[in-house]
Amino acid sequence: MSAPVSPGLRSGSLPLLVALMTLLAGLSLAGLAGVQTLAESWSGAARNATTIEIPSDTPQLADRTHTLIQTLTKTPDVTTVRELSTKEVQTLLAPWLGQVSESAGLPGLSLPVVLIVAHTGTPDLGTIVQGVLPEAVVEEDRRWGERLNGLGNSLIACAWLAVSLIAAIAVLSVGMTVRRSVMAQRKSVEIVHFLGAGDLTISSRIAGRAALLSLAGSLVGLLLLSPVITMLARKLTPFSHGAPAAASPASTWDALIATWWSTLHVLPRMLLEELGALPLIAAGLGWLTAQTVVLVWLRRLP
């Protein structure tokens, strides 16, 4: 019965539609995973660090800086106090000053002394620094961590909103495709229906076909998404502590397998679970949408 009743479901339009929707949903989830990883990395690095800048024209700079370092070292919850070298300060200021060669230096410009203070708690370092060296500028990096968390939460909400909109569009598109398919075979459906076939029997056959086509289209969408996922894994490798060591492949197939294996280890587990669930979600939405559309249409028959 499915051949004459629902020929439009075999035309390939439904799998193509679901493949594109899966691709869009996968891109949204991949971008979401990337944002979460970067936000967690930056927030974790900034949460327990403080940057102190001491102007170069500060009187008795060396002695007062040494005193400040000793005071900070004796402060509870402070683990390390590190003074950046001139080269490290130049690298830190490169986005504003540009790249400077070691031989030329920065003529006419004196670099500040920069201290990086690592701590385990939330000590009031601003008060301590101002008491020893009022000219110093204290930048609590945890403030940037809080801002990054806020930005990350906003982007996460936007990503989930995009996924929800994609799912809604997919449901509407599948419903329209199924309805056109049934309308194209209106006479055949009416004949079968009048001969005694129940509404649920007809709708289940069409819904099953829609679910299979949706599943196939979603798998194709994941296949199209694989290059993007591989690229994302490479970008996230520096932020992953559990990435396996790269081995020299013996052949092209070994290289391909090694790439996929490293991808599975680098990508967040939550992202892999979400991507793996996309075909099942697509099949479920296809079945439910087709079932509802066909049942509503059959109930309107005279």
Side-chain angles (χ1 to χ4, degrees), residues 218-265:
S218 185
L219 292 176
V220 173
L222 286 183
L223 183 62
L224 296 176
L225 187 65
S226 58
V228 179
I229 296 300
T230 302
M231 181 184 67
L232 177 65
R234 293 177 180 176
K235 296 297 183 181
L236 293 180
T237 299
F239 303 94
S240 176
H241 301 286
S248 56
S251 63
T252 304
W253 286 107
D254 292 340
L256 182 61
I257 295 175
T259 301
W260 279 101
W261 186 254
S262 61
T263 299
L264 294 177
H265 279 78

Side-chain angles (χ1 to χ4, degrees), residues 21 24-26 28-29 32 156-172 278 281 285:
M21 293 299 174
L24 291 176
S28 299
L29 293 175
L32 171 62
I156 289 171
C158 291
W160 282 118
L161 177 61
V163 173
S164 301
L165 291 177
I166 292 171
I169 295 173
V171 169
L172 292 176
L278 284 180
I281 295 175
L285 289 178

Side-chain angles (χ1 to χ4, degrees), residues 153-193:
N153 292 332
S154 300
L155 293 176
I156 289 171
C158 291
W160 282 118
L161 177 61
V163 173
S164 301
L165 291 177
I166 292 171
I169 295 173
V171 169
L172 292 176
S173 302
V174 171
M176 294 174 61
T177 302
V178 173
R179 193 173 189 279
R180 284 197 305 265
S181 301
V182 177
M183 288 295 294
Q185 297 294 328
R186 180 185 179 93
K187 294 298 183 182
S188 301
V189 174
E190 288 179 349
I191 292 173
V192 174
H193 185 257

Side-chain angles (χ1 to χ4, degrees), residues 2 4-9 174-190 193 202-203 205-207 210 289-299 301:
S2 60
V5 171
S6 55
L9 295 180
V174 171
M176 294 174 61
T177 302
V178 173
R179 193 173 189 279
R180 284 197 305 265
S181 301
V182 177
M183 288 295 294
Q185 297 294 328
R186 180 185 179 93
K187 294 298 183 182
S188 301
V189 174
E190 288 179 349
H193 185 257
I202 298 175
S203 63
R205 291 290 297 272
I206 298 177
T289 303
Q291 187 83 277
T292 304
V293 170
V294 176
L295 284 176
V296 171
W297 184 81
L298 290 173
R299 293 295 173 86
L301 289 178

